[in-house]
Structure formats: C-alpha cells, structure tokens
Amino acid sequence: MLAKRIISCLDVRDGRVVKGVNFVNLRDGGDPVEMGKFYNDQGADELVFLDITASSDNRKIIMNVVEKVAKQVFIPFTVGGGIRTVDDMRSTLLAGADKVAINTAALTNPNLISECANIFGNQCVVLAIDVKQNKNKWEVFVNGGRTPTGKNALTWAKLAIKLGAGEILLTSMDQDGTKLGYDLVLTKQISEVVSVPVIASGGAGNKQDFYNVFTQGKADAALAASLFHFGELKIKDLKKYLLDMKLPIRIYKS
C-alpha cells in the first residue's frame, strides 16, 4: 500500500493566508511565505497554495507570492487559482509549482484538462472539485465556492479523469472549516469511481478524522488548513498517531 499523505493548505487572499467556515467568514492566518517554510520544516508531505479569489475576481494568480513560497519549500507544491489557459499553467510551473490545480476554467472548458495533460503530463494536472450537497445530489461549485453549476460531482470526476487529470482535490463545502470531520460518504464515492489519487479536504478536527478518511473514505491523502494553522494539531503528532494505527505514513528525519 502506498503511503498516505498529509497535506497542508494555504488559502490565500490579498497576499495573506486566510481560513473560514463553509468558504465564508474568513480570518487571517499569516504570511504564506513564512507558513510555507514552516510546513516544509514540520514534515508535511505536500503543500497546496490556492489563490481563492483569482477566479471570482477574474484576475491571474499572484505569481510573485507563488515564487516566494516555492523558494522556501522542498516538498511537492501544488498551486491553483485563476488558471485559465495552458500558458497560465506553464507560468505557474515555471514559478516553482510541481502540480497545478484547475477548477473553474476546467468546468468552462473541459478540453483544458487534456491540453495541459498532453503538454505537461497527467501528474501535473490536479482537478479541484468544490462540492456541496443539494438534496440527493453532490453539486459542483466554482468561483471559489460562490457559483453552483448544476453538475454532479461523480459524473464530473469520472469525465475529468478520462480527459487526463492525474489527481483530484475534493473539498466538501458543507464540512469546510467546521472541524466535524471529513465527508466520508462523498470521499468514498469519489474514490471508488476514479482511478487516480483523491485528496480529501474540508472538516478535519482531530487525529481520528484523518484515520477515518483514509480507512472509511478511501482517500489517498488528507488536506487540512486551520487545524494546522492555529496550532491545534502538529503534523508530527498526527503522523505518529497514524503510524500507531498501522497506516503507512512517511516520517522525515529533521
């Protein structure tokens, strides 16, 4: 079994890390450059940087901040927000990203997934899916969770993989920031219909939530933000717990 990954996330707005609940009521979490270095040194397996208002503001990603963070981290670094074209993805990779997350533009133009995968490789293309439960359907939202699309998340995930996405970053908007645990049902359903790694996001509140999403949700990786940002849980303590629970986890020597 491949090692399960613990991923730290930097949601960035106006050059600062922020975190809220259900995608609203954002509060300041710190400087992204300093926090990127902190998580690199604390043993995170990967770092995700999301410019959360780039799409809704119809602007490009804050590339100067991406470059500064990239210089501080030596773990896989995924960057998303406002990626609309192949050239945008190329610029982001040249700025230091290892992988690029696309969301809104991929819904508008699904062929963007294939174009990017053909040029840069599937492993560089991460499909970010923000999902909210609407009656009995998992509905996809875009523009930083502001705009409903009417698209079913399972259908969209399966199509995106056929088009060339190499990984899925799955965020439950219902659980985001609540610390009530990941959405295990949603994560399991997506994990079972795709053949690529799934990163679970939204709702981490304690160590057991990670164990649950790996075992019951069948996620390959688990992402958290506020739980780590505000010192409620240290990555090294989380990893020790997961190892004690017999899950395959990477431990880095300091």
Side-chain angles (χ1 to χ4, degrees):
M1 182 186 296
L2 293 176
K4 300 296 186 181
R5 291 171 288 148
I6 303 299
I7 300 177
S8 299
C9 183
L10 306 179
D11 290 323
V12 180
R13 180 178 182 177
D14 299 328
R16 297 286 293 180
V17 175
V18 295
K19 192 57 192 155
V21 177
N22 306 130
F23 282 40
V24 296
N25 299 323
L26 302 178
R27 59 172 171 157
D28 186 82
D31 176 71
V33 180
E34 293 177 359
M35 296 188 70
K37 183 179 188 305
F38 172 78
Y39 288 127
N40 180 88
D41 296 343
Q42 289 296 306
D45 294 301
E46 298 188 18
L47 181 69
V48 169
F49 177 112
L50 300 175
D51 186 341
I52 62 172
T53 56
S55 291
S56 60
D57 292 348
N58 195 31
R59 61 171 173 77
K60 290 187 179 296
I61 196 167
I62 43 177
M63 202 66 75
N64 63 319
V65 181
V66 171
E67 291 175 344
K68 290 176 182 178
V69 175
K71 291 177 180 177
Q72 298 296 323
V73 301
F74 302 94
I75 53 178
F77 182 37
T78 299
V79 176
I83 308 297
R84 300 178 181 84
T85 67
V86 169
D87 285 341
D88 288 341
M89 185 166 182
R90 179 180 290 109
S91 297
T92 307
L93 292 170
L94 289 173
D98 299 289
K99 296 182 279 187
V100 176
I102 52 178
N103 183 343
T104 303
L107 244 304
T108 304
N109 174 26
N111 288 331
L112 177 63
I113 299 173
S114 300
E115 293 169 2
C116 290
N118 289 336
I119 295 172
F120 306 111
N122 304 67
Q123 78 286 348
C124 289
V125 183
V126 179
L127 178 71
I129 310 180
D130 297 332
V131 182
K132 194 171 186 178
Q133 190 165 17
N134 183 0
K135 297 181 180 179
N136 295 320
K137 183 176 73 173
W138 303 110
E139 185 175 7
V140 178
F141 279 63
V142 294
N143 291 320
R146 295 168 179 80
T147 308
T149 66
K151 298 282 187 180
N152 181 283
L154 277 72
T155 303
W156 173 226
K158 288 189 287 186
L159 174 60
I161 300 313
K162 288 181 180 179
L163 292 171
E167 192 166 31
I168 288 178
L169 170 54
L170 177 68
T171 301
S172 166
M173 293 177 62
D174 298 303
Q175 298 299 105
D176 177 72
T178 65
K179 298 180 184 164
L180 298 176
Y182 296 96
D183 191 320
L184 302 179
V185 175
L186 170 63
T187 306
K188 182 175 184 287
Q189 288 189 12
I190 295 289
S191 296
E192 289 181 338
V193 300
V194 300
S195 56
V196 301
V198 173
I199 303 168
S201 171
N206 56 51
K207 297 174 185 176
Q208 187 171 349
D209 291 336
F210 290 84
Y211 178 79
N212 290 343
V213 83
F214 287 139
T215 55
Q216 299 175 45
K218 298 187 177 181
D220 299 276
L223 177 150
S226 57
L227 189 65
F228 296 148
H229 294 346
F230 303 112
E232 296 169 56
L233 180 61
K234 293 182 178 179
I235 292 174
K236 64 178 182 179
D237 293 338
L238 170 60
K239 286 192 168 187
K240 182 180 184 304
Y241 164 80
L242 294 172
L243 277 175
D244 290 342
M245 296 296 285
K246 309 303 181 185
L247 286 181
I249 297 292
R250 296 186 183 92
I251 298 293
Y252 303 100
K253 294 182 180 180
S254 58

